[in-house]
C-alpha cells in the first residue's frame, strides 16, 4: 500500500500569526511613544537654549563695539534700534546684528510650530521669531532678561508688542512651547531654563523696577 507523501508546513504567516505580530508591535509602540516624545521635547529645549546662547553671544559682540550698549539703547543714527521700540518691530533688534548672528534660523525655537523659520535676514519679520527682547537689559543690570521664549504670560501690554512686567503676580509660562517652562538669555551672558516660579524670582532680582519686553 503506497503512503501519501507528507505535505511540508507552509513557511508563510497565517492570518492569526500575522495579527499576533501586529498586536505585539502595536503594544511596543504604545509603550515607547511617550518616552520618545519626552526625549524629543528635551532635545528641542536643549536646542532652544543653544539658540539663546548664540543670541546672547551676538548681543555681547555687537555691544562690545558700541560702548557696551545693546541695539535697543542705541539710536538708529548710529546703527541701533532705539526708535524701533515704539513700532513693535521686534525683529529689527536682531536684524541689525545679522553679521553677529550669521543666520536668522537661531531666532526660532524648535518647539515653536506656530512660527516660520527664515533663512534670509532680508525677509525677516516678527512671524519668524520665537523670542522676546529685554529692552533695558545691559551690563549694569546683569540679572535682567535679555531675550527669551515668547510664551510668557502676565504683565501689561503698554504699546504695540511692548510688555511691561512690574508686578510679578500672575507672570509665568504658557504650555505651548516647553510644557509650562521656558528658556531665557540673561544680560550676564548666561542662558538657562526657568520654571514659572524661577522666572518670577529672576524678575524680582533683575535690578529693574519694570522689565520691558519687546514681544514678537
Amino acid at each position: 500500500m503506497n503512503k501519501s507523501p507528507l505535505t511540508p508546513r507552509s513557511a508563510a504567516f497565517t492570518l492569526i500569526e500575522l495579527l499576533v505580530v501586529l498586536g505585539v508591535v502595536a503594544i511596543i509602540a504604545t509603550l515607547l511613544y511617550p518616552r520618545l516624545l519626552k526625549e524629543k521635547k528635551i532635545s528641542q529645549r536643549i536646542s532652544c537654549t543653544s539658540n539663546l546662547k548664540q543670541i546672547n553671544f551676538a548681543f555681547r559682540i555687537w555691544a562690545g563695539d558700541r560702548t557696551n550698549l545693546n541695539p535697543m539703547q542705541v539710536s538708529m543714527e548710529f546703527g541701533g534700534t532705539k526708535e524701533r521700540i515704539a513700532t513693535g518691530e521686534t525683529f529689527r533688534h536682531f536684524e541689525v546684528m545679522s553679521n553677529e548672528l550669521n543666520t536668522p534660523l537661531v531666532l526660532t525655537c524648535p518647539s515653536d510650530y506656530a512660527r516660520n523659520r527664515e533663512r534670509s535676514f532680508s525677509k525677516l519679520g516678527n512671524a519668524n521669531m520665537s523670542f522676546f527682547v529685554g529692552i533695558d537689559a545691559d551690563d549694569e543690570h546683569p540679572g535682567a532678561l535679555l531675550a527669551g521664549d515668547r510664551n510668557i504670560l502676565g504683565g501689561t501690554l503698554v504699546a504695540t508688542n511692548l510688555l511691561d512686567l512690574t508686578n510679578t503676580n500672575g507672570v509665568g509660562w504658557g504650555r505651548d512651547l516647553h510644557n509650562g517652562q521656558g528658556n531665557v538669555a540673561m544680560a550676564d551672558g548666561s542662558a538657562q531654563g526657568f520654571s514659572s516660579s524661577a522666572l518670577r524670582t529672576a524678575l524680582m532680582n533683575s535690578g529693574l523696577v519694570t522689565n520691558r519686553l519687546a514681544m514678537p
Side-chain angles (χ1 to χ4, degrees):
M1 185 176 185
N2 295 331
K3 294 183 178 180
S4 300
L6 295 175
T7 303
R9 185 175 183 272
S10 174
F13 279 114
T14 66
L15 178 59
I16 294 178
E17 289 173 330
L18 179 60
L19 292 174
V20 169
V21 171
L22 292 176
V24 171
V25 171
I27 292 173
I28 294 174
T30 301
L31 294 174
L32 290 179
Y33 179 74
R35 180 176 178 179
L36 293 174
L37 184 60
K38 182 179 180 180
E39 290 179 352
K40 179 182 179 181
K41 290 182 177 179
I42 292 174
S43 175
Q44 288 176 331
R45 189 169 184 190
I46 291 173
S47 295
C48 180
T49 304
S50 177
N51 286 355
L52 283 167
K53 286 179 179 178
Q54 293 181 62
I55 289 170
N56 206 327
F57 188 57
F59 269 112
R60 296 182 76 81
I61 294 176
W62 197 94
D65 295 330
R66 296 166 179 85
T67 62
N68 293 325
L69 295 176
N70 290 317
M72 307 80 71
Q73 290 113 35
V74 177
S75 172
M76 292 172 59
E77 181 182 359
F78 301 103
T81 58
K82 188 174 182 179
E83 292 83 0
R84 299 284 193 183
I85 296 173
T87 69
E89 297 176 297
T90 303
F91 72 94
R92 298 293 187 185
H93 306 309
F94 294 107
E95 185 181 52
V96 297
M97 299 190 299
S98 59
N99 290 336
E100 291 77 13
L101 288 168
N102 295 318
T103 173
L105 291 175
V106 298
L107 303 177
T108 309
C109 170
S111 298
D112 195 352
Y113 301 115
R115 296 299 162 106
N116 300 317
R117 294 169 66 84
E118 179 54 61
R119 296 180 179 274
S120 172
F121 280 102
S122 64
K123 298 178 181 179
L124 189 65
N126 280 3
N128 309 118
M129 290 178 41
S130 298
F131 306 118
F132 65 74
V133 175
I135 296 301
D136 303 303
D138 56 24
D139 280 353
E140 294 184 6
H141 303 94
L145 279 60
L146 179 59
D149 286 323
R150 67 178 180 84
N151 63 319
I152 197 166
L153 303 176
T156 303
L157 198 63
V158 296
T160 304
N161 293 336
L162 187 60
L163 186 68
D164 274 11
L165 300 178
T166 302
N167 188 330
T168 59
N169 291 338
V171 175
W173 300 107
R175 303 189 67 82
D176 49 334
L177 293 186
H178 300 293
N179 197 29
Q181 299 197 32
N183 297 319
V184 172
M186 309 296 291
D188 64 3
S190 66
Q192 51 196 297
F194 281 154
S195 63
S196 289
S197 60
L199 172 64
R200 290 189 289 270
T201 299
L203 289 169
M204 289 187 288
N205 296 332
S206 67
L208 297 169
V209 175
T210 299
N211 283 265
R212 297 189 300 160
L213 308 183
M215 305 300 292

